[in-house]
Amino acid sequence: NAELILYVEAWTRKIHLNMTFDMVREAARQPHADPVVTVAVRSDGSVESVTFVQSSGVPALDEAIRRVVQSQTPYQAFPPSLAREYDVIEIRRTWLFDMAIRLY
């Protein structure tokens, strides 16, 4: 579904563009795994849940990721055609931390 892909790409861009590395800098300095996070976004753009498929192993970093996701709410509401098909979309991304935050 091309519209679904565009929505997920826009969500990812919002995190990239509105997130400062300062929000996670201290926690990201600790040895950690690359966390895999699933964010469930409701059709109105609110966040239903943030679930760690794989934790970073650093509680402060995992909490910083939760804060990052919540700080960007509300996300864009689903376009009408997506809202007819989905109540919630789950977006799963691997979060990488170097000089910036990158979602893959």
Side-chain angles (χ1 to χ4, degrees):
N1 183 328
E3 200 162 34
L4 180 58
I5 292 168
L6 289 173
Y7 184 87
V8 171
E9 288 173 350
W11 180 90
T12 301
R13 248 188 332 275
K14 183 171 182 173
I15 296 288
H16 283 155
L17 295 174
N18 295 307
M19 181 51 217
T20 64
F21 192 66
D22 293 339
M23 293 178 79
V24 297
R25 184 181 313 276
E26 288 304 313
R29 285 185 178 151
Q30 299 178 44
H32 63 274
D34 295 331
V36 179
V37 182
T38 300
V39 177
V41 180
R42 294 184 192 104
S43 61
D44 65 358
S46 62
V47 172
E48 181 172 279
S49 65
V50 178
T51 306
F52 285 78
V53 177
Q54 174 181 308
S55 169
S56 68
V58 177
L61 185 55
D62 291 353
E63 186 54 36
I65 290 169
R66 286 183 195 281
R67 283 194 315 271
V68 166
V69 169
Q70 294 295 343
S71 74
Q72 302 301 312
T73 59
Y75 294 97
Q76 179 182 8
F78 295 178
S81 61
L82 280 183
R84 281 192 295 275
E85 288 188 56
Y86 304 101
D87 294 328
V88 176
I89 293 174
E90 290 187 342
I91 302 170
R92 180 176 293 178
R93 290 289 179 262
T94 300
W95 292 59
L96 304 175
F97 303 95
D98 47 31
M99 296 307 290
I101 296 173
R102 302 180 204 293
L103 305 174
Y104 296 97

